[in-house]
Amino acid sequence: MSHGNKQQWILAKRPQDVPDPSEVVFQEVAIPATAAGMVLVKNHYISLDPAIRLWMSDIPNYLPPIPIGDPIRATVVGEVIESGSDDLSAGDLVFGLGGWETHSTAPAEFWTKIPSDSEFPLHYYGNMLGAVGLTPYFAIVDVGQAKAGQTMLMSAAAGAVGSIGGQIAKLMGLKVVGIAGTDEKCQWVVDELGFDDCINYRTTGDMEAAIREKCPEGVDFYFDNVGGEILDAALLNMNKDSTLLFCGTISTYNATEPVPGPYNYWQILAKTITVKGYLISDHFHRVVEGQEAMSQWLKEDKIKFREHINEGIENCLDTYNLLFTGGNDGKLMLKL
Ligand SMILES: NC(=O)c1ccc[n+]([C@@H]2O[C@H](COP(=O)([O-])OP(=O)(O)OC[C@H]3O[C@@H](n4cnc5c(N)ncnc54)[C@H](OP(=O)(O)O)[C@@H]3O)[C@@H](O)[C@H]2O)c1
């Protein structure tokens, strides 16, 4: 059965810097027939995540590089149109690994069914109840083994992962100091989300001194979303036997030159810091457990969040690049 055409963004060339429309190209193609084992989904929301930029390049990663000519890979939320699998049926709502396109065809195992009696809006599954909310949940509660009374430093604190992570840490009894790129973002995480303090890294100047001032007792847990100079400043403030949870390094994702390692790498030895590389995909088998915890906090109004939702598949690339200027206010998504 023909389903007409779909619009999509494909990878024409590996980007050299912030991706541009000569490297990531918009096109219209026919929707392929749905083969056995495959599922055709009409996408309603596309989650725009920093990691996609790394999938566009060909450096070794936890997923293979997006092949040249393929749609840009992304987590999407949508509705099954046609199913070649007994596990899903037309009309089911799902989230999973699709692409920057109006319709995605992917193997049935790539999709997770959203309960038909879910009380949450669909876009929550691209955010709080999808990989974004579960990322800081497992990072803090499980992998990082955060403890009440510790001091946590959180970079990209007003972003999707950072803003939720800081609130989880507060619920667990930690002191949390954020780092963000505008005064307004800093004010939001302190006044609305309950962080203890926040540093505007764009205006502060000496980051090492600013962290020391806000965390005079030292940092027990650095939740690193950005890498680069902020990581170097954090390292000089880490306590003995502290934890560095390495979640992301967005300051380097568009680097055009080789990225130096942290200049203060030796602090890991001097302070016997435990560095934990972290991947949410290692915890996908525990999605239900994470969703239950997040759902409960949402119902009790214990976690707040912002969503930045732009509309229209043709705006996907411009919207995506907001991540690298701090132009997004909260979880960035595209609505179709
Ligand atoms: N390991 C995992 O499994 C996993 C899963 C999800 C996400 N992540 C990582 O978590 C991090 C945050 O992702 P997200 O989806 O929550 O994005 P986000 O924080 O909502 O958006 C990215 C934010 O990063 C900040 N930023 C951009 N360039 C920066 C720079 N050069 N220096 C400092 N800050 C910069 C900007 O905020 P400001 O205005 O504050 O600068 C921007 O708003 C990323 O590194 C991502 O790769 C990891």
Side-chain angles (χ1 to χ4, degrees):
M1 182 168 81
S2 164
H3 293 288
N5 290 347
K6 63 178 178 179
Q7 293 176 309
Q8 61 178 191
W9 291 86
I10 59 149
L11 187 65
K13 275 189 275 183
R14 305 227 174 261
Q16 294 304 310
D17 195 330
V18 175
D20 71 36
S22 74
E23 297 157 336
V24 178
V25 172
F26 190 58
Q27 67 176 22
E28 186 161 325
V29 293
I31 295 174
T34 309
M38 304 294 278
V39 175
L40 170 64
V41 172
K42 181 174 170 20
N43 297 329
H44 290 313
Y45 292 94
I46 299 175
S47 174
L48 297 175
D49 298 299
I52 296 169
R53 176 63 185 85
L54 300 176
W55 303 338
M56 292 180 191
S57 73
D58 57 5
I59 51 173
N61 205 339
Y62 57 95
L63 285 181
I66 299 170
I68 298 295
D70 269 21
I72 304 299
R73 184 191 294 142
T75 304
V76 298
V77 185
E79 181 183 344
V80 173
I81 300 292
E82 191 174 56
S83 178
S85 159
D86 291 340
D87 296 337
L88 290 166
S89 312
D92 285 345
L93 296 173
V94 292
F95 65 95
L97 207 53
W100 288 9
E101 52 189 355
T102 53
H103 302 71
S104 293
T105 303
E109 60 268 24
F110 280 27
W111 304 107
T112 300
K113 191 172 165 180
I114 296 172
S116 52
D117 59 353
S118 170
E119 58 199 284
F120 298 107
L122 205 50
H123 52 91
Y124 277 35
Y125 290 88
N127 184 10
M128 295 288 293
L129 300 176
V132 171
L134 302 187
T135 291
Y137 177 77
F138 289 114
I140 293 171
V141 172
D142 189 311
V143 176
Q145 293 286 309
K147 307 258 180 323
Q150 289 182 329
T151 293
M152 173 181 283
L153 185 66
M154 173 68 77
S155 53
V161 168
S163 62
I164 296 168
Q167 292 176 87
I168 292 173
K170 286 305 300 173
L171 286 166
M172 292 174 67
L174 283 79
K175 167 180 169 178
V176 181
V177 173
I179 299 173
T182 67
D183 288 345
E184 192 278 332
K185 287 184 179 182
C186 278
Q187 201 174 344
W188 178 63
V189 303
V190 173
D191 293 352
E192 301 290 325
L193 307 189
F195 283 41
D196 295 275
D197 220 324
C198 186
I199 301 165
N200 179 342
Y201 71 92
R202 290 186 198 272
T203 56
T204 289
D206 185 342
M207 273 301 290
E208 183 204 340
I211 297 168
R212 199 178 322 116
E213 185 197 327
K214 305 291 188 192
C215 309
E217 66 286 5
V219 174
D220 300 305
F221 192 126
Y222 177 41
F223 195 117
D224 187 15
N225 286 312
V226 305
E229 292 172 8
I230 295 176
L231 168 59
D232 268 314
L235 280 169
L236 292 173
N237 282 283
M238 301 287 286
N239 284 332
K240 172 116 178 102
D241 296 333
S242 53
T243 297
L244 197 168
L245 195 292
F246 183 12
C247 182
T249 170
I250 192 169
S251 72
T252 68
Y253 291 175
N254 292 299
T256 51
E257 300 291 330
V259 176
Y263 291 102
N264 297 323
Y265 180 65
W266 59 276
Q267 287 291 307
I268 294 169
L269 179 157
K271 307 278 181 58
T272 53
I273 299 168
T274 300
V275 180
K276 295 187 176 177
Y278 170 76
L279 272 182
I280 181 57
S281 46
D282 289 347
H283 303 269
F284 280 164
H285 61 289
R286 293 169 65 188
V287 163
V288 172
E289 173 194 336
Q291 282 178 331
E292 278 171 6
M294 298 304 287
S295 305
Q296 193 57 35
W297 282 328
L298 282 170
K299 282 185 215 160
E300 293 168 1
D301 206 18
K302 288 189 171 156
I303 293 216
K304 298 178 186 152
F305 57 90
R306 278 177 174 168
E307 292 177 323
H308 186 142
I309 304 180
N310 284 1
E311 290 199 30
I313 187 68
E314 66 284 3
N315 297 317
C316 199
L317 183 60
D318 286 345
T319 301
Y320 182 67
N321 285 337
L322 293 173
L323 288 170
F324 304 112
T325 60
N328 63 310
D329 259 330
K331 173 60 200 148
L332 192 63
M333 279 182 276
L334 196 75
K335 184 176 182 203
L336 304 180

